[in-house]
Amino acid sequence: MNTEKDFSPLTPNIVRALNDKLYEKRKVAALEIEKLVREFVAQNNSTQIRHVIQILASEFALSQHPHSRKGGLIGLAACSIALGKDSGLYLKELIEPVLTCFNDSDSRLRYYACEALYNIVKVARGAVLPHFNLLFDGLSKLAADPDPNVKSGSELLDRLLKDIVTESNKFDLVAFVPLLRERIYSNNQYARQFIISWIHVLESVPDINLLEYLPEILDGLFQILGDNSKEIRKMCEVVLGEFLKEIKKTPSSVKFAEMANILVIHCQVADETKLTNDLIQLTAMTWMREFIQLAGRAVLPYSSGILTAVLPCLSYDDRKKNTKEAASACNHSLMKLVTPEDDEDEDEEKSGNTGSPSKEEGQPKVDSDSNDMLNASQESVGLSNISFFTPASADRPQVTLDLDGIVQVLDRHLHDSSTGMMTRIAVLKWLYHLYIKTPRKMFRHTDSLFPMLLKTLSDESDEVILKDLEVLAEIASSPAGQTDQVGSCDSTDNKLELKVPESAKPGQQPSAGSKPADSSPSTPSMNSYFYKFMINLLKRFSLERKLLENRGAFIIRQLCLLLHAENIFHSMADILLKEEDLKFASTMVQTLNTILLTSAELFQLRNQLKDLHTQESCVLFCCLYRSWCHNPVATVSLCFLTQNYKHAYDLIQKFGALEVTVDFLIEVDKLVQLIESPIFTYLRLQLLDVENNPYLIKALYGLLMLLPQSQAFQLLSHRLRCVPNPELMRTVDESKYMDSKHQVVSKRASHIQIDYSELLQHFDLVQSKHLEVRHQRSGRASDHPDRKLM
């Protein structure tokens, strides 16, 4: 430094002492400066005061010489002490050179700078708040300083500044938030600790409403929550907990939508191996749960994004039990928000149009970028370019259900093979709930959902299949599905062509409340999707024989409960009547027949068929019979069930012309076992009435003659030996006996006459087709001679 330069009003002695390497001499110079400045204050000589500060800043604090910089720092602190309450008039000139020294490479000089600023702030108190951002910026750098002395000094200054902010009601939060938002993304452990401590302080000050700006810092808080330091994570948890308490107290002032984006991102774990991510996800899910409960229907426009985050968590194991429970609560609460009123805006929207809009114009459109946004959410760690929750309607953003977005998310999870079982169940519950609450809108998506719902029937979980069947049953029976034109939902695989019977084609659906003359009497409540469902279900059974073998009976029995057994059997019989794959038709009939004769769910249908005392029951019998002809033994068992014993006998007489295989005999064996079951108790009791049931006895003897002398042969033979002598059983007058016989016959024929000869002709026709097919496959059959009974 040039000692000959004029530093007045500083004396040469002060200048020399400020440049000295000894701290004590610099301290003496500072006391002289303090005395000098006090004199200027007494004289109200602000010009000289500014001149002294300017010399200390430019010639000393910003000097190239380290000892001069140290002298400048202590001199500036002395000026501030001398100025006292008037230091606020000169704070900018006092603070800026000191803050510059925070970046000095010499740790001792950084410490002296911190000490000097502490003295300046201590004197100025609240007057430093207009310069808070400068002070905060400098302190945030010192918080991560590697020198322990510097860190210790910065902590003292930090506590002082926090006390000033807490005491004052003039803190400029608006000006501070942009700096806080910038610094909150620091990866330095100490800087994060510094940031969290300040947020905690500001959040606790009653006059500072930091909650209003929470959307701007929430993402950064979740980033800090993933810090490796347990202490910092704990601090962050406390801060987030305080914010959540405040949100619960004043939900009306909370910007739920702006923060929901952030929660969706952090509810999704990118790296499951990192333990801190579990904490982030659990906290975000807990917040999401509270948001849904507090905001209510206001979150409906953003439900697709919420489901994107929540659904995968439902399949977590016990290691993430808390997260799973929070996700389940979110899912349940969100589902409850969907009500029938979400299905009622279609008419109002259309009534406002003066022209004739197309179908596409009258329906809400799915944002083409929604998939990209959802995918981006799983990869992004920040908030740039993220916008999951754009409301579907700018006019009513708080009550518009984002149905298209929800369906898109649900469909994606169904298609994803990695989706967990509980997630798949939740997806199907959502679909069922939406079809119940918003059927008109949901049927716009049915054609796209239908193939995947059918594919889900092959799921490994019975519970998933049950929920899937509930959705399909609701689609098939909902009045909202009564449309004149419904797009094809058949899959692209055309190996099996099944056509809708003429009496049930969608184009011939009746208007509401009417019943067509040519429609099936047993399916008046089903819509056009019902037959499409039955057709595609049978197609799936045909193409996936393992599904039919392992789950076929289970699926059909559940459908009988959901859609009524008569509907299921009548429709399947109609479709199988036109089935070209005769082997599949025979297998399917055998499956249906076993279900009919053994399942508790079919008790009512069996009773309906047993007596055939109504026109509907006779029509149903004839319908089933025509398809049952694909399987001769099943046809006989249907006749036994319906007490058509003469016709059963006539059919058995024709068995002699059929190809008797091992499979055929196994089916006869099973029929004998069924005759001994509780289902046919009434049949066995009718063996006591030999006079009125001669053809029953003949039919049973016919089965006996078909069987080789096996265990089934012995069983049936023993039963027939128990048939009593008719002469011993006759205990009443012959005329009265014949009258009772005629009454039984007239009761069964009072409503409709069944043309049994025509049914026999149909049986012969079907069997001839089967024989023709078997002959065409004779080459294949010759490869398995053990399958043919010689």
Side-chain angles (χ1 to χ4, degrees):
M1 177 177 288
N2 186 2
T3 56
E4 297 179 358
K5 191 173 181 179
D6 184 15
F7 292 102
S8 60
L10 298 182
T11 65
N13 289 334
I14 293 175
V15 172
R16 280 195 301 272
L18 286 176
N19 286 317
D20 201 282
K21 64 179 181 179
L22 295 176
Y23 171 76
E24 292 300 327
K25 291 187 177 182
R26 294 195 301 271
K27 185 176 181 181
V28 170
L31 292 173
E32 291 295 323
I33 292 172
E34 181 181 345
K35 181 179 179 182
L36 179 65
V37 172
R38 287 185 189 275
E39 292 176 0
F40 290 145
V41 171
Q43 299 168 7
N44 199 22
N45 191 344
S46 61
T47 302
Q48 285 292 67
I49 295 173
R50 289 188 186 278
H51 188 52
V52 170
I53 294 174
Q54 192 271 330
I55 291 173
L56 290 171
S58 60
E59 300 298 334
F60 289 89
L62 302 179
S63 170
Q64 297 296 321
H65 195 277
H67 297 312
S68 298
R69 294 199 294 274
K70 294 173 185 175
L73 289 170
I74 197 170
L76 289 170
C79 287
S80 177
I81 293 170
L83 287 168
K85 63 180 182 179
D86 293 332
S87 63
L89 301 172
Y90 309 94
L91 276 176
K92 187 175 187 298
E93 294 89 340
L94 290 168
I95 289 174
E96 287 185 351
V98 178
L99 289 174
T100 302
C101 292
F102 277 11
N103 298 317
D104 200 283
S105 59
D106 186 348
S107 61
R108 288 178 298 176
L109 204 141
R110 294 196 303 274
Y111 175 79
Y112 288 133
C114 189
E115 185 181 53
L117 189 58
Y118 179 88
N119 288 317
I120 294 170
V121 172
K122 186 176 182 180
V123 171
R125 302 295 295 184
V128 302
L129 290 179
H131 308 280
F132 179 80
N133 278 16
L134 282 173
L135 297 173
F136 184 87
D137 182 61
L139 273 176
S140 66
K141 297 173 183 175
L142 291 187
D145 199 284
D147 187 272
N149 291 324
V150 176
K151 273 180 58 61
S152 177
S154 70
E155 288 170 1
L156 288 173
L157 176 57
D158 181 55
R159 284 198 291 270
L160 174 62
L161 201 56
K162 285 173 181 173
D163 289 340
I164 293 171
V165 170
T166 303
E167 295 167 1
S168 174
N169 58 359
K170 297 179 180 179
F171 181 74
D172 189 356
L173 185 61
V174 176
F176 172 62
V177 167
L179 178 62
L180 178 61
R181 185 176 60 235
E182 174 191 341
R183 293 303 168 88
I184 202 171
Y185 285 104
S186 171
N187 290 323
N188 183 277
Q189 178 177 325
Y190 299 105
R192 283 179 164 182
Q193 191 171 19
F194 172 77
I195 293 289
I196 283 292
S197 67
W198 266 103
I199 293 176
H200 192 199
V201 168
L202 294 175
E203 198 277 332
S204 64
V205 178
D207 294 332
I208 298 177
N209 184 19
L210 191 57
L211 183 61
E212 182 180 352
Y213 301 93
L214 182 57
E216 301 188 48
I217 63 172
L218 184 61
D219 180 65
L221 286 172
F222 274 104
Q223 299 284 350
I224 294 175
L225 192 61
D227 195 272
N228 293 326
S229 168
K230 183 178 180 181
E231 182 182 356
I232 294 176
R233 292 199 304 270
K234 187 63 179 178
M235 289 175 62
C236 193
E237 278 190 88
V238 171
V239 168
L240 286 168
E242 291 299 322
F243 273 123
L244 193 56
K245 288 179 183 177
E246 194 171 345
I247 287 172
K248 292 178 182 179
K249 291 178 182 177
T250 58
S252 59
S253 60
V254 179
K255 300 175 181 177
F256 290 107
E258 296 179 27
M259 290 186 282
N261 286 337
I262 301 165
L263 297 182
V264 166
I265 292 171
H266 292 290
C267 282
Q268 302 171 74
V269 176
D271 183 7
E272 294 189 4
T273 61
K274 192 174 181 181
L275 296 178
T276 54
N277 282 344
D278 292 346
L279 176 61
I280 293 174
Q281 187 182 33
L282 173 59
T283 306
M285 196 65 70
T286 303
W287 275 58
M288 185 76 80
R289 179 188 64 200
E290 298 297 336
F291 272 30
I292 295 171
Q293 293 176 352
L294 293 170
R297 285 181 57 83
V299 303
L300 282 181
Y302 324 117
S303 46
S304 60
I306 295 173
L307 285 175
T308 300
V310 166
L311 287 174
C313 302
L314 300 177
S315 293
Y316 284 167
D317 54 26
D318 288 342
R319 289 174 296 179
K320 295 185 178 182
K321 182 180 179 181
N322 293 336
T323 304
K324 181 179 179 180
E325 290 176 352
S328 180
C330 287
N331 185 61
H332 181 68
S333 298
L334 187 62
M335 188 179 292
K336 286 170 63 177
L337 297 178
V338 181
T339 62
E341 71 180 80
D342 295 307
D343 203 33
E344 294 173 357
D345 62 344
E346 184 177 4
D347 294 336
E348 289 81 358
E349 290 174 1
K350 290 185 176 180
S351 63
N353 298 329
T354 55
S356 299
S358 64
K359 183 177 180 182
E360 288 77 10
E361 291 172 342
Q363 297 177 1
K365 296 181 179 179
V366 182
D367 187 351
S368 60
D369 296 331
S370 58
N371 261 340
D372 296 336
M373 290 187 290
L374 290 169
N375 292 334
S377 72
Q378 299 174 355
E379 301 170 3
S380 174
V381 294
L383 291 178
S384 59
N385 301 322
I386 300 297
S387 177
F388 309 103
F389 301 124
T390 301
S393 169
D395 298 329
R396 294 195 303 156
Q398 298 302 313
V399 294
T400 304
L401 177 68
D402 180 21
L403 186 63
D404 293 337
I406 291 176
V407 172
Q408 193 175 36
V409 172
L410 298 176
D411 187 52
R412 189 174 70 249
H413 279 91
L414 273 185
H415 277 85
D416 188 356
S417 58
S418 64
T419 301
M421 182 189 74
M422 297 307 297
T423 299
R424 296 198 301 277
I425 291 172
V427 167
L428 293 167
K429 285 182 177 179
W430 260 103
L431 289 173
Y432 181 77
H433 184 71
L434 291 173
Y435 271 108
I436 293 293
K437 300 297 183 181
T438 60
R440 290 186 299 171
K441 290 183 179 180
M442 277 301 294
F443 266 92
R444 300 171 187 168
H445 302 279
T446 299
D447 285 344
S448 62
L449 291 171
F450 209 77
M452 194 60 218
L453 290 171
L454 285 165
K455 185 178 179 181
T456 305
L457 291 175
S458 302
D459 197 275
E460 296 178 355
S461 166
D462 286 351
E463 193 171 351
V464 171
I465 295 175
L466 281 173
K467 295 301 177 185
D468 190 38
L469 288 172
E470 287 182 12
V471 178
L472 287 165
E474 181 59 29
I475 291 174
S477 60
S478 173
Q482 294 285 9
T483 55
D484 292 333
Q485 291 182 347
V486 183
S488 175
C489 61
D490 292 347
S491 61
T492 56
D493 195 334
N494 294 320
K495 292 181 180 179
L496 180 65
E497 292 295 335
L498 296 170
K499 297 181 179 179
V500 179
E502 293 297 325
S503 63
K505 286 185 177 179
Q508 297 182 6
Q509 283 295 327
S511 59
S514 65
K515 182 176 177 180
D518 59 348
S519 68
S520 168
S522 60
T523 59
S525 61
M526 299 297 104
N527 60 36
S528 53
Y529 278 96
F530 175 76
Y531 256 91
K532 297 177 78 171
F533 176 28
M534 293 297 103
I535 289 170
N536 282 275
L537 178 60
L538 289 174
K539 180 184 291 187
R540 193 152 199 89
F541 283 153
S542 175
L543 299 177
E544 294 185 34
R545 296 301 173 89
K546 285 291 184 182
L547 175 63
L548 177 59
E549 293 174 12
N550 299 332
R551 299 291 182 82
F554 172 71
I555 291 172
I556 294 170
R557 286 167 53 198
Q558 294 304 317
L559 284 176
C560 288
L561 292 175
L562 294 167
L563 293 173
H564 305 297
E566 185 179 353
N567 292 331
I568 302 301
F569 274 76
H570 198 299
S571 59
M572 286 191 170
D574 282 344
I575 297 166
L576 288 171
L577 193 60
K578 297 176 173 61
E579 174 58 55
E580 296 179 358
D581 186 345
L582 300 183
K583 184 176 181 181
F584 166 70
S586 177
T587 303
M588 195 68 225
V589 164
Q590 183 182 1
T591 301
L592 290 171
N593 187 66
T594 301
I595 296 170
L596 176 63
L597 295 178
T598 61
S599 299
E601 295 86 352
L602 278 296
F603 175 78
Q604 186 175 351
L605 185 60
R606 285 195 295 270
N607 280 349
Q608 182 180 345
L609 287 169
K610 188 169 72 172
D611 295 326
L612 295 181
H613 61 275
T614 64
Q615 180 177 353
E616 288 76 12
S617 61
C618 291
V619 170
L620 178 60
F621 164 71
C622 292
C623 175
L624 296 180
Y625 180 95
R626 295 178 187 281
S627 291
W628 260 232
C629 287
H630 285 297
N631 190 296
V633 179
T635 312
V636 170
S637 67
L638 180 64
C639 292
F640 281 156
L641 176 66
T642 56
Q643 304 185 63
N644 283 300
Y645 302 134
K646 182 179 185 307
H647 194 72
Y649 172 72
D650 292 339
L651 287 174
I652 293 172
Q653 287 291 90
K654 293 179 175 292
F655 282 10
L658 301 181
E659 185 179 25
V660 179
T661 63
V662 172
D663 288 338
F664 179 90
L665 292 176
I666 290 174
E667 290 180 39
V668 176
D669 188 294
K670 290 179 179 178
L671 177 56
V672 172
Q673 301 292 335
L674 280 172
I675 290 172
E676 294 297 321
S677 71
I679 297 295
F680 282 111
T681 299
Y682 67 93
L683 180 147
R684 297 195 302 273
L685 289 174
Q686 286 173 346
L687 292 175
L688 293 173
D689 189 0
V690 179
E691 291 288 340
N692 283 332
N693 297 291
Y695 287 103
L696 170 58
I697 298 171
K698 287 186 176 183
L700 293 178
Y701 270 109
L703 290 179
L704 187 66
M705 295 303 108
L706 285 171
L707 286 168
Q709 295 198 20
S710 59
Q711 184 178 358
F713 177 90
Q714 299 297 333
L715 188 65
L716 183 55
S717 175
H718 181 72
R719 173 65 63 184
L720 289 172
R721 286 199 298 271
C722 295
V723 174
N725 187 322
E727 296 297 329
L728 296 176
M729 297 298 291
R730 188 171 297 167
T731 59
V732 298
D733 183 73
E734 181 70 23
S735 60
K736 293 181 180 179
Y737 194 74
M738 295 306 295
D739 287 343
S740 65
K741 180 178 178 180
H742 288 305
Q743 287 174 6
V744 172
V745 174
S746 61
K747 179 182 177 183
R748 291 174 59 84
S750 59
H751 292 277
I752 188 171
Q753 294 293 331
I754 298 176
D755 188 350
Y756 288 102
S757 61
E758 189 275 333
L759 293 180
L760 282 174
Q761 291 175 7
H762 178 78
F763 178 85
D764 291 338
L765 178 63
V766 172
Q767 290 308 310
S768 65
K769 289 181 180 179
H770 278 268
L771 184 61
E772 182 180 350
V773 170
R774 281 196 291 270
H775 285 165
Q776 291 173 356
R777 297 174 179 174
S778 58
R780 185 181 306 172
S782 64
D783 295 335
H784 303 279
D786 57 316
R787 300 296 293 170
K788 180 75 178 294
L789 188 66
M790 301 303 292

